Amino acid sequence: QVQLVESGGGLVQAGGSLRLSCAASGRTFSSGAVGWFRQAPGKEREFVAAINWIMAYTYYADSVKGRFTISRDSAKNTVYLQMNSLKPEDTAVYYCAAVRDTLGLPSDASGYHYWGQGTQVTVSS
């Protein structure tokens, strides 16, 4: 129903910044939420941040609060994750996900129904 494509990952030194993009295509919607998750090899998928599509209120994991910012551009059907002060522990594949018809901001992967393929973020020490 909805296709999501992440971009913007890469290799960065500790303390640096990256901005990830999640572009949505297919049938557009004006309700629901978009979230960012990350997963390192052999680790469980971890919630990072989420945003409500209509009102743009946000929620962050404690591990990234104050360093990462999630935002959306409705005209471009795109959600961004600005990542500052990156640490080696931020290294992971980052995924965006979406869910329709919710007023909340799910922080569990099971709360999302549409997923992108992920983009690799590597932070060197």
Side-chain angles (χ1 to χ4, degrees), residues 10-16 85-91 121-125:
L11 175 64
V12 64
Q13 292 184 350
S85 301
L86 283 162
K87 306 174 181 179
E89 63 200 70
D90 295 318
T91 295
V121 172
T122 302
V123 184
S124 64
S125 60

Side-chain angles (χ1 to χ4, degrees), residues 23 44 46 91 98 118:
E44 294 185 349
E46 176 188 22
T91 295

Side-chain angles (χ1 to χ4, degrees), residues 24-47:
S25 62
R27 184 173 181 179
T28 59
F29 57 92
S30 58
S31 63
V34 177
W36 284 97
F37 292 78
R38 64 188 183 186
Q39 188 168 26
K43 303 295 184 181
E44 294 185 349
R45 191 162 296 188
E46 176 188 22
F47 171 77

Side-chain angles (χ1 to χ4, degrees), residues 22 33-37 47-51 70 79 95-99 106 112 115:
C22 175
V34 177
W36 284 97
F37 292 78
F47 171 77
V48 176
I51 186 168
I70 187 171
V79 172
Y95 300 88
C96 67
V99 60
Y112 294 87
W115 290 84

Side-chain angles (χ1 to χ4, degrees), residues 22-123:
C22 175
S25 62
R27 184 173 181 179
T28 59
F29 57 92
S30 58
S31 63
V34 177
W36 284 97
F37 292 78
R38 64 188 183 186
Q39 188 168 26
K43 303 295 184 181
E44 294 185 349
R45 191 162 296 188
E46 176 188 22
F47 171 77
V48 176
I51 186 168
N52 174 267
W53 187 254
I54 298 176
M55 299 299 297
Y57 51 83
T58 59
Y59 181 68
Y60 297 92
D62 288 341
S63 60
V64 306
K65 192 175 300 181
R67 298 188 298 122
F68 292 8
T69 302
I70 187 171
S71 62
R72 61 107 168 89
D73 187 332
S74 297
K76 296 182 178 180
N77 294 310
T78 300
V79 172
Y80 303 98
L81 184 68
Q82 177 66 46
M83 306 186 296
N84 298 327
S85 301
L86 283 162
K87 306 174 181 179
E89 63 200 70
D90 295 318
T91 295
V93 176
Y94 282 70
Y95 300 88
C96 67
V99 60
R100 294 179 181 269
D101 302 324
T102 181
L103 296 178
L105 295 174
S107 60
D108 192 279
S110 63
Y112 294 87
H113 299 157
Y114 308 98
W115 290 84
Q117 294 299 308
T119 185
Q120 177 71 48
V121 172
T122 302
V123 184

